[in-house]
Amino acid sequence: MKIAKGPRPWPIHLFAALLLSSGLAQLISGLSRVGDYNFGGFNPITGEWLSDDALIVMLSAEFTIVCIPIVAIWLFRSRIARWLITIFVLWGAITWLMHLNARHLDLLLQLNSQYIFSITVRVITWLAVLLLFLPQSARWFAQLKEGAHAVFE
């Protein structure tokens, strides 16, 4: 893959900043709650609770996964990454909306800080992905030359 040349439009910069800040916020929030009894992750395959070390590894892996499309889009102008992150975010939004119920509304009305934080991070991620489809972003992605569609050169 070749590094994209030329200036990036503001939506691409803002996409990278928003998605990176969203991922960092999730990482910091998760790391600050590793010792919390209610935060422990359950492994459905083994039927055991994850250790603190395993939770730290899982949180770090999630942050790394968030960074991959940022690098692919901002640095390499990857249209595949643009569509993959869009599909994943849409799938996440649809499944989240399907599971909304009265409990979510109660948490929101009680001003549950952790719940409001998770919604805020989710909305920031959705906005970041929407930025990839603004006209300036579309023009930037369209600047790929006709022969530059090969993934590895």
Side-chain angles (χ1 to χ4, degrees):
M1 296 178 81
K2 287 186 175 182
I3 294 178
K5 293 183 178 17
R8 283 129 180 89
W10 69 267
I12 299 299
H13 289 296
L14 191 56
F15 157 78
L18 287 176
L19 200 58
L20 186 63
S21 64
S22 170
L24 271 173
Q26 286 284 72
L27 177 68
I28 292 168
S29 171
L31 289 175
S32 67
R33 297 182 312 139
V34 165
D36 187 2
Y37 175 75
N38 295 323
F39 180 66
F42 182 73
N43 186 345
I45 296 172
T46 62
E48 299 173 353
W49 289 95
L50 297 176
S51 68
D52 288 352
D53 293 338
L55 283 172
I56 291 170
V57 169
M58 181 188 73
L59 290 166
S60 300
E62 287 176 353
F63 177 69
T64 303
I65 290 168
V66 167
C67 290
I68 292 170
I70 295 171
V71 170
I73 291 170
W74 192 87
L75 193 60
F76 298 112
R77 194 187 293 168
S78 172
R79 288 189 274 179
I80 293 171
R82 174 190 186 201
W83 284 106
L84 281 176
I85 194 169
T86 302
I87 290 168
F88 287 137
V89 166
L90 280 175
W91 179 257
I94 290 168
T95 57
W96 182 72
L97 289 171
M98 286 173 43
H99 291 99
L100 276 181
N101 56 29
R103 190 185 107 235
H104 294 276
L105 184 59
D106 286 343
L107 288 171
L108 191 60
L109 292 176
Q110 293 172 7
L111 298 176
N112 181 305
S113 62
Q114 195 60 39
Y115 186 71
I116 291 172
F117 172 79
S118 71
I119 289 178
T120 304
V121 169
R122 204 171 257 134
V123 169
I124 289 171
T125 303
W126 295 344
L127 290 174
V129 172
L130 282 175
L131 289 170
L132 295 175
F133 293 92
L134 290 179
Q136 297 95 327
S137 300
R139 282 192 296 273
W140 184 70
F141 281 110
Q143 286 177 358
L144 283 175
K145 294 186 178 123
E146 196 60 40
H149 294 292
V151 176
F152 299 102
E153 294 181 12

